[in-house]
Amino acid sequence: MKKISLILFLFINCTNSFSQNMFNAVSGTVSLFSHAPIEDIKAENKQAASFINSATNEIAVVIPIRNFHFAKALMEEHFNEKYMESDKFPMASFKGIIQDSIATLADGEHLVSTKGTITIHGVEKELEIKGVFKRDGNSFTIISDFKVALKDFNITIPKLLFQNIAEIIDVNVTLDYRASGKTIINK
């Protein structure tokens, strides 16, 4: 986890200082779901790390690929070795801007949109992600569901397995944030 935090710290060089506006994810879960004719495949990763600067609405998320866990060990092995090439591409990431001023959002649920660059399997792609922002004082949760097309990230499925793995994967992200230090939020 220390390595992930260091990578994330370096990754979010988009902010000049760790100021009173910084929030870090104290809990981050990313789930994958593939619905195909022969079988459904689910995986979960509870090691997602993220920071948000509420003054600039910048967000950075890093996900260690090897921390996705499947119901079957063989699925996990194939995921890491054949599809994601986890030794070569150990992290997925997202760096962007939340389009709504989260510093001014009141307690409760709000729909938000984020635009930025997602990097998976060494391929960068511009992406807009919509989600729910749930605020409770100086802590909040972001929940988002979106789809990822494997071909967009040069992830190939062998022809023998095309009925086992969907070409488009459902992704669910839940990130719980707390203030990194002394935080002042305008409500």
Side-chain angles (χ1 to χ4, degrees):
M1 192 65 179
K2 288 180 184 179
K3 183 178 177 182
I4 295 169
S5 296
L6 177 61
I7 290 170
L8 185 59
F9 177 76
L10 295 172
F11 180 71
I12 63 166
N13 63 11
C14 57
T15 185
N16 293 329
S17 65
F18 250 25
S19 69
Q20 62 196 22
N21 300 308
M22 293 303 293
F23 289 79
N24 66 305
V26 293
S27 172
T29 303
V30 178
S31 301
L32 306 176
F33 181 75
S34 164
H35 175 71
I38 291 182
E39 67 182 326
D40 290 340
I41 300 172
K42 297 177 186 178
E44 187 173 75
N45 182 332
K46 293 186 177 190
Q47 299 297 315
S50 178
F51 282 97
I52 290 179
N53 181 331
S54 65
T56 62
N57 283 342
E58 292 169 297
I59 182 171
V61 182
V62 175
I63 305 157
I65 298 301
R66 283 208 173 269
N67 289 19
F68 279 100
H69 298 292
F70 296 75
K72 298 176 185 174
L74 189 57
M75 286 180 181
E76 196 165 318
E77 182 181 326
H78 288 169
F79 174 81
N80 284 299
E81 293 177 12
K82 294 184 179 184
Y83 307 117
M84 296 302 291
E85 300 175 275
S86 300
D87 289 338
K88 187 175 179 181
F89 307 108
M91 299 285 175
S93 63
F94 179 81
K95 181 178 175 181
I97 303 288
I98 299 171
Q99 301 299 297
D100 310 271
S101 177
I102 63 170
T104 60
L105 294 177
D107 284 359
E109 290 188 16
H110 309 275
L111 296 177
V112 295
S113 178
T114 303
K115 289 183 180 179
T117 303
I118 190 169
T119 304
I120 301 172
H121 199 240
V123 177
E124 293 183 352
K125 181 174 173 40
E126 294 299 310
L127 186 66
E128 181 174 356
I129 301 172
K130 297 188 183 300
V132 175
F133 178 91
K134 296 180 181 180
R135 164 170 256 130
D136 184 11
N138 274 343
S139 63
F140 54 89
T141 299
I142 293 178
I143 301 169
S144 181
D145 294 303
F146 58 97
K147 297 183 183 302
V148 171
L150 298 181
K151 68 178 181 178
D152 289 349
F153 297 95
N154 296 332
I155 300 169
T156 57
I157 302 168
K159 293 206 183 278
L160 283 172
L161 298 175
F162 79 95
Q163 289 193 351
N164 292 63
I165 302 170
E167 293 178 20
I168 297 177
I169 305 298
D170 295 322
V171 180
N172 174 274
V173 178
T174 302
L175 299 164
D176 295 314
Y177 293 89
R178 302 291 178 269
S180 294
K182 191 175 185 182
T183 304
I184 302 170
I185 293 191
N186 303 322
K187 288 191 198 179

